Amino acid sequence: MNLLECLVGLALSLVLIAPLIKNSGEFIAKQIQHEKSQSLTAEADRALELIGRAIRMAGYQNANSAIASVRKNSSSNNYIQIQKNSGYRGSDSLMVKHGISSGLDFDCIGNTLSKERTKNNLAQQGFLVDRQASAPKGARVNGGSLVCRSLDRHGRLQNTTLMNGIHYLSFEVLPTSAGKAFRVILEMTDGASIHQKFERTFTARNLL
């Protein structure tokens, strides 16, 4: 076999193999995108579960609490507050206050709630979206960071980053609910081609 025959054989091989290589590359790219999408969906589910749990707890008071009777004369605004356009890309922020039960309760970062983690006998849980503090300057980031605001063992507010990839977060009081139901919209992104929107409605069971 001479050199010309070798070159012809190599060219024919490339013609046959090139489509396979292209298809394999496209398949791998789609698989990576699918895995990213699944990861963002899982993160969104986790975030919404934490937010929903906090909303459901808003205004709760243990029946044996010394301030339980005060709640009856207090506005629901004392227990759940929304600040519009206060965060990353105009995202809203949420702050919830509630008492602690006789059982085992946790805040939004998994700390067991106790009297030490309260202020005026109320636990506090908040959610906001901020810029990614750890992102290198000038680097492309995959959205902002979802931050949990809770009380430490000394009753002081602390901020803890829960996850990245948050494009936008909003809270809307449903008009027919007398302030008891809230629509939460969460948009996730990988900073490139994936952008997903999630929407849930949660009811604050303890607000009048």
Side-chain angles (χ1 to χ4, degrees), residues 128-205:
L128 59 96
V129 182
D130 204 353
R131 295 182 181 276
Q132 291 188 34
S134 60
K137 187 176 181 180
R140 173 181 286 182
V141 296
N142 59 328
S145 299
L146 180 64
V147 176
C148 161
R149 305 197 78 182
S150 59
L151 297 175
D152 63 15
R153 293 182 182 272
H154 303 285
R156 299 173 301 199
L157 274 177
Q158 59 181 356
N159 290 345
T160 305
T161 298
L162 295 175
M163 63 189 69
N164 296 321
I166 312 296
H167 180 75
Y168 178 71
L169 175 65
S170 74
F171 301 95
E172 179 185 352
V173 181
L174 297 183
T176 59
S177 65
K180 295 181 181 179
F182 301 84
R183 179 183 292 118
V184 181
I185 297 176
L186 177 63
E187 297 180 16
M188 305 288 292
T189 182
D190 69 340
S193 59
I194 302 176
H195 190 99
Q196 295 176 296
K197 181 178 178 180
F198 303 86
E199 183 177 317
R200 302 276 179 83
T201 298
F202 301 103
T203 301
R205 302 169 178 172

Side-chain angles (χ1 to χ4, degrees), residues 78-173:
N78 293 331
Y79 299 105
I80 188 163
Q81 299 174 348
I82 297 172
Q83 289 189 341
K84 305 296 291 184
N85 306 315
S86 59
Y88 178 76
R89 291 187 178 274
S91 292
D92 303 336
S93 65
L94 174 77
M95 176 58 75
V96 168
K97 298 179 182 180
H98 59 84
I100 56 177
S101 70
S102 302
L104 198 61
D105 296 326
F106 301 94
D107 64 13
C108 45
I109 56 174
N111 291 322
T112 302
L113 290 176
S114 61
K115 189 174 181 180
E116 291 75 20
R117 294 184 183 275
T118 64
K119 186 175 183 180
N120 298 324
N121 293 313
L122 293 173
Q124 297 184 31
Q125 299 187 64
F127 299 89
L128 59 96
V129 182
D130 204 353
R131 295 182 181 276
Q132 291 188 34
S134 60
K137 187 176 181 180
R140 173 181 286 182
V141 296
N142 59 328
S145 299
L146 180 64
V147 176
C148 161
R149 305 197 78 182
S150 59
L151 297 175
D152 63 15
R153 293 182 182 272
H154 303 285
R156 299 173 301 199
L157 274 177
Q158 59 181 356
N159 290 345
T160 305
T161 298
L162 295 175
M163 63 189 69
N164 296 321
I166 312 296
H167 180 75
Y168 178 71
L169 175 65
S170 74
F171 301 95
E172 179 185 352
V173 181

